[in-house]
Amino acid sequence: MRPRIAIPADTLTEATNIINERNAAFAPRPLIEAVVKSGGLPIILPSVDPQLAVNYLPLFDGVIFAGGADVDPTFFNEEPHLKLGMTYRKRDLFEIALVKEALDAGKALMGICRGMQLINIALGGSVYQDLSEYPHPTLKHSQDAPGNLPSHHVSVAADSRIFKLIGQRAYVNSRHHQALHKIAPSLQVTATADDQIPEAVESIANDWVLAVQWHPENMFKHYQYSQAIFADLIQRAKENK
Ligand code: MN
């Protein structure tokens, strides 16, 4: 049996004239394909009452917190910054509950972009709500290049899990206007861009969390080191079964 990889859904908040598409739960197709190609079975979880999150645990072995809207800053005790993007509190509530339940159950977690920020916030960290809040000028992290092509490099800590997957220095894509600020106590930064913006975090005490600020699901077909991140999740999901 393939490891089952849950993907908490994004929500299509823009109204269409088809009533059944309003607030439709969806997952990015490239992410689904990356999971299948890497040996997992993807399962999409709609956002529901966070108290129900625990009921999903028997259905999956690993979970990917995917990209999407900004996390509501009230979850890290801040009011909205002028440059905060769209937020959708219902997804945040469900995913924060699912992070905690999944970790309590020893599941393998992966985070992508917003997903890395969400995991950090769920575990007690925070983000800069916009890169203009960062204490010094940054690189361009909202690339205008096509999303399946890399645009900036990351440097990787030698003793980290991700080092074994992507090496000491990797060329990655970048589509974020926020960045990790306070790092959650149970996480450590294991890759940074040359402006010191965190680009990957991992759990300190175990191998349960590996999250990246970039989008490997848009690069996995042509960049082996992007697929390696998914293969690692599948492996961790197998071990934690
Ligand atoms: Mn970046």
Side-chain angles (χ1 to χ4, degrees), residues 9 16-17 46 112 122 209 211 227 232 240:
T16 73
N17 56 10
I112 294 175
V209 177
Q227 208 212 322
D232 173 73
N240 293 354

Side-chain angles (χ1 to χ4, degrees), residues 9-207:
D10 203 345
T11 299
L12 192 65
T13 49
E14 284 173 27
T16 73
N17 56 10
I18 300 173
I19 193 166
N20 285 346
E21 285 182 2
R22 281 183 207 154
N23 294 321
F26 74 97
R29 190 74 214 178
L31 183 53
I32 290 167
E33 290 175 5
V35 170
V36 171
K37 174 90 186 298
S38 305
L41 182 72
I43 300 170
I44 301 171
L45 306 184
S47 295
V48 294
D49 181 334
Q51 291 189 341
L52 295 177
V54 66
N55 293 280
Y56 282 122
L57 291 178
L59 302 183
F60 66 86
D61 307 301
V63 51
I64 299 176
F65 292 89
D70 293 351
V71 178
D72 182 329
T74 61
F75 289 114
F76 48 96
N77 302 314
E78 290 184 13
E79 291 297 306
H81 182 276
L82 188 62
K83 292 191 172 172
L84 179 70
M86 196 197 95
T87 58
Y88 186 65
R89 189 178 167 78
K90 289 181 178 176
R91 181 185 181 190
D92 301 339
L93 281 165
F94 175 68
E95 290 192 342
I96 287 169
L98 194 66
V99 166
K100 292 174 180 170
E101 297 291 356
L103 283 175
D104 282 350
K107 307 279 185 188
L109 275 67
M110 175 176 167
I112 294 175
C113 198
R114 162 206 158 85
M116 170 166 125
Q117 298 164 357
L118 184 282
I119 292 169
N120 184 53
I121 292 163
L123 299 179
S126 70
V127 299
Y128 292 104
Q129 294 186 42
D130 184 75
L131 286 174
S132 58
E133 283 193 299
Y134 199 62
H136 58 78
T138 69
L139 296 171
K140 185 176 177 74
H141 288 276
S142 303
Q143 71 182 43
D144 289 316
N148 60 349
L149 296 177
S151 71
H152 73 63
H153 290 84
V154 295
S155 293
V156 181
D159 54 354
S160 63
R161 185 172 188 92
I162 195 167
F163 181 89
K164 300 183 187 87
L165 307 173
I166 71 171
Q168 183 187 352
R169 195 156 164 87
Y171 196 25
V172 302
N173 58 8
S174 196
R175 292 207 301 275
H176 57 109
H177 79 106
Q178 299 190 323
L180 264 54
H181 183 184
K182 187 177 145 213
I183 307 300
S186 57
L187 300 177
Q188 58 186 331
V189 175
T190 53
T192 52
D194 288 2
D195 54 10
Q196 303 311 310
I197 295 287
E199 290 279 343
V201 291
E202 303 177 19
S203 39
I204 293 173
N206 49 50
D207 65 357

